[in-house]
Structure formats: structure tokens, C-alpha cells
Amino acid sequence: MFPFCDTFSSVRLSRVKGNRPSEQSLRVQDSNRMSLMYTTPQSKQPSFGKLNIPKPQSGTSERRTSFFGPRTSGVGMPRNSTMSGFGGTEKIKDARPLHDKSYIQQCIRQLHEFLTEQGYPGTLSSKTLQSPSTKEFVKMFEFIYCQLDPTFEMPNSKVEEEVPALFKTLGYPFVLSKCSMYSVGAPHTWPQALGALMWLIDNVKVRNDIKSSSTLDRYRLKQSSHLFLDYTAETYSKFMQGDDTFEEEDEAFLVKLKKLYNVDEALLVTMEEKHRILTDEVEKLEKESQTDRLMTKRMEKMKLQADLKKLQSYRASLDSFKDNLEKKDSELNVELEISISHLETLKHERNELQHLLQNQKFTPADVERINREKRELQQTISSLTKSLENAEQHKWNEEIALAKVKEKAELKLAEYHKLARKLKLIPISAENACGHDFEIRPFECGAGSMVQCKTQIQMQLRKLVGDVEEENSRLTNMKLSLEESCEQVNSIITDKTNDLKQLREQIRKLDERLEGEKQELAREEQEWAAEMESVENHRKLLEKKVNYGYDESVQQLKAAQQQYHLVLQETNEERRTVANNLASVFTTAANHLSITEKCLEDLHSRVQRICSKAVEEDEAAIQKLQETLKDFMSKAKNV
């Protein structure tokens, strides 16, 4: 709430206490203008981002009508401001949701908290405040009113009339009937009475805030009150001149308030950003609360089950791959054991041969033969050792190559599945799958089944590509036909644009001709006016010469004047007829040029005939008038 609102309300209260009943209607209407600032149950904080002044709406249009009287002026025209328009009997609409149960419960809680904090002497309970009696309501009203005026005492008689009168004196902007005081706790009367009490509590809170405020706050309050009064006077003045929006005044008023209260723009922007983030989070939580959580959890469960099946199939494929590796490892281990046993046999034979060599005597030939066999055996051992190392290395390389190939296959398979999902080919119920299963499941079947599955998927993909290419060619042909149609339409539009330019040029020429004819008619009218003025001067000269009397001559003169006016009216009617005919000719000219030219020629000849006829009639009338004047002069001379 703006801090200057209570000051403005107190000014109105002082005017009422000063015995000025003529301003009661102004106070009621002004209270309605400020009612949105006193809305309950919570008070509004100063908002310097946007001026918090209610603009005219459909719900408050009755207030404007009753305050200023019926609006008969157009936009931009000054409005009438008469005292008879003030103080209308129409009721002011309360914008508070007093029939909302949650709003009523919130007001009851705040009323209970306020009475408890201020030390209400009576008994309080939620059940009592749901539908209090008239006596309890009067006690609560008296206790709250004493917060404003400690010397107040509630009269013992006519309480039902005194409470609405006190609310009206305080400036309560809405009607509180006397009949509602007889049954305050009724469901149809308690919301209005509760709203009045909340309005009174807001006034008490504002008054307490003003009392507890510092000298600087009071100075700011006083300055803001002056600023608001100046703003109200300026906008009301512009409203009476016909304006409905006051953006410049609002901006200037906000700048002055920000300067007075030292508003931090950066902090304001930060708070607005925080408010926006919190609002988004609240909306997100509300949307989440509106969704079916059980259905969401079921969908998540189905997804997790599908992932579990995939993991199980992947684990099965890994187990089969592991079994293959173990089988190969067992085979290699058997070969290794055979090689080791063979090596042990060779070592045993070598030991025996060495023992024989040590125990027997050999000839040089035997020694040479043994050494040669020894070298051959050593070579055989080294070759077998090398072959064993090569076999182990080959085994390791094969395992690494197999792991890389499997990793590449899995990557390509993942890319294939990603592209298939993007093209809506997976799962079987996808849009473009057409009931076919395009998903590749590795390690679930043998190599032959994989080849068969690959061949089947390739055939289905080729068929799908053919269908897409056929549809693409059909759409391309359709696009070409549409482009040709568009070019034809553009050419037609160009032709019509040229025709329109020609017609506009012809209309411009006809407008120039019409303007020239209008100027000529204006010149002729000036000549007729000058001639009429000369006749009028001549008539005045005759009147000066003719003395009193001659009733018959005067009557004849009046008859001649009436006849002249009739002739003038007929001439004007003929002029309007000529103008209407010319306008119809110009309208027809936009449809067909040749018909327009022909009509213009006919119209020109007819205008000449009408003008000549009008001139002749005018000359005849003037001649008749001159003859009448001559008769008058002759009669005057005879007399």
C-alpha cells in the first residue's frame, strides 16, 4: 500500500467532520478509486515498477457514469463537469472475492490474529468467527474502532443503525445495509460484514505504522501525499479534457516517488527476477501435481524393464563371447601343455645323452655327431619356444582385434539404431516401420541368421527408400506445378496493378475536371450573390422612399421575396442534383472508361441545359421582381 493513501483518507474524514455534506458524494467516489489500495486480507507493498492505480474497466464503468454523468462527447472532446452529476445512487461494485470460501477463511484467520495480538477481552474461537452473532460483531467493531479513537463508546440503543453510519463516516466505499446488522452471522451477510472489519483493520494498521514511523518517514509520507494530490489534480484535469490514458503523468509520478524513497533499481530488478524464477517453479510444481504420478511411475517402470531386458540380452551375448574365449583359451592351454610335455621329454633325453656322454667313451666322430644332434635339438627347442611365443602373441592380438571389431560393431549398431529412431523405424509400432522389425540384435543368433537378418533389413530399407523417392518425386512435381501457378498469379496481379494505375490516373483527371466545374459554379454563385445584394440594396432604397402604410405593397413585396427564396431553393436543389449525377458518373468511371466518357458527355450537356434553364429562370424571376418594383414605384408616385 502506498503510504500516502491513509493521509488522503484522513483528509476526506476531516472534511466530513467539518460539516461539509456537499462533498459526501465526492468522498464516496474517491474512496472507490482508492478501494483497490485498501484490499484485504493482505496489504499491498509499494511497487515502483508500475503505477498501481486502477484503470477504467468494464466492471467499474458504472462508477464513471454515476460520477461524471453520461458521456456524450467523443474521443478528445472535453467532458462536462457539473455538480448535478455527483452523488449518484448507483451502488459501487466490490472487487474483493467475498464469496470465495478460501478468501473468507483467510480473512477469518487474519481477524483472529489481529484480535489476539491486540488483546481482545472476549472469547475467540474459529467456530465463533465462522458465524458470529450481532452482539459479538458489535463488540469486535467497538474494540477495533477504539484502536483508532480510544475515547469511543458504543451507544446502547439502535446499534444496527449506528454501525453502518460509523462505517460511512470513516469513508468505507461500499454499502453496508442496516438490515444486515440484524443477522450478521447469516451466510449472505457475514462476508460483507467481515470485509468491512478487514477494511477497518487495515486502517488501524496503517495508522499504527504512521505513528511508529520516524521523522524521515513522516516527511516522505507528507511529500508523497502532496505528490499524489498534484498527480490526481493533473490527471483529472486532462480527463475532463477528453484524455483516457496518462502514461506521461504516471511515469513522472513514479520518478518522483523513486527519488523520494531512494529506490534501488538494481535491487528491484533482482527481486523481480527472483519473483519470476519462483513463479516459474510454482507453475512447474502445479503442473507436476496435476499430472498422474502413478502413470508416470508406470511408464518409468516399463522403460526400466525394457532397459533390463536389453542388459540381460547384452549379458547373455557377453557370456557366449566369454565361453568362446574360454574355449579358445583351453585349446591354447592344451597345446601349451603338449608343448611343455614335449619340451620335458626333450630335456629328459638330453640329460640321458649327457649321462651317457659322461659315462661312455666316444670317438671324435661320435662326439661330432652328438654335438650336431645337440645343435639340432637346441635349434628345435628355440624354434618351438619361438612358435609358442608367437602363438601366445597371436592369441593376444586376436583377442585385441576381436574386442576392437566388437566395439566398432557396437558403435555402428548404436548409430544405426539412433538413425532408425530418428527416421521413426524403431520400434515395430513406429510411424515408418510399417509393421517390420528394423532393430538388429547382435550375439543372439549365429552368423547365418545375422546375414539373413541383414539381407531382410536391407530389402525392407530399399523398399522404403524407393517409396520415399517416389513420394519425393510426387511432391517435387506438385511444387513445380504450384510454382507455375504462382508465376501465373503474379503475372495476373501485375496486369491488374497496371490496370489499376491507369484507372487511378483517369479518376485523377476526372477529379481535376470536377474541381474546375466546382470552381466555375462557385464563381457563378458569387455573381448571383452580388446581384442579389444589389437587388437587396435597391429594395432598401425603395423602403427608405416609401413612408408608413402601404400594407398591400408590403405584402406583395414579401410574396416576391418568398418567391425568390423558392427559386433559390430550386436552384440549390438543381445544383445538388448536378453534384450527385457527377458523383455517380465518377463511380461508374472506375468500372469502364468508355461508358464513363459517354456518360460525362451526356452529363455535361444536361448540366449546360440545367444551368441555362436555371439562369433563364433566375433572369425571369429578377425581371418579374423588377416589374414588381416598378409597379411599387408607380403606385408610390401616384399616391
Side-chain angles (χ1 to χ4, degrees), residues 564-603:
Y564 174 77
H565 287 301
L566 290 174
V567 172
L568 184 61
Q569 288 180 359
E570 291 176 357
T571 306
N572 292 332
E573 286 292 330
E574 291 174 355
R575 290 176 188 168
R576 286 194 292 270
T577 304
V578 171
N580 293 330
N581 292 333
L582 287 174
S584 63
V585 169
F586 295 148
T587 305
T588 309
N591 299 324
H592 202 278
L593 181 61
S594 61
I595 296 174
T596 303
E597 291 178 354
K598 185 177 179 180
C599 290
L600 283 174
E601 291 176 359
D602 295 339
L603 183 62

Side-chain angles (χ1 to χ4, degrees), residues 461-479:
L461 288 175
R462 288 194 186 96
K463 182 179 179 181
L464 185 61
V465 169
D467 295 338
V468 171
E469 289 179 352
E470 183 179 354
E471 182 67 18
N472 189 15
S473 62
R474 186 180 66 81
L475 292 175
T476 304
N477 295 330
M478 187 183 294
K479 178 183 176 183

Side-chain angles (χ1 to χ4, degrees), residues 442-454:
F443 309 112
E444 290 186 1
C445 52
S449 299
M450 284 294 296
V451 173
Q452 184 180 359
C453 181
K454 178 181 177 182

Side-chain angles (χ1 to χ4, degrees), residues 326-370:
E326 288 178 352
K327 185 178 179 181
K328 290 182 180 180
D329 184 60
S330 62
E331 292 176 356
L332 291 174
N333 288 329
V334 169
E335 292 179 359
L336 182 61
E337 289 175 357
I338 293 171
S339 300
I340 291 172
S341 63
H342 184 63
L343 180 62
E344 291 293 332
T345 304
L346 293 175
K347 287 181 177 179
H348 183 68
E349 291 178 356
R350 187 188 65 178
N351 293 330
E352 289 180 352
L353 291 173
Q354 285 180 355
H355 181 69
L356 291 172
L357 180 63
Q358 291 176 0
N359 295 327
Q360 294 180 4
K361 294 180 179 179
F362 297 97
T363 61
D366 294 333
V367 172
E368 185 178 356
R369 181 179 57 81
I370 291 171

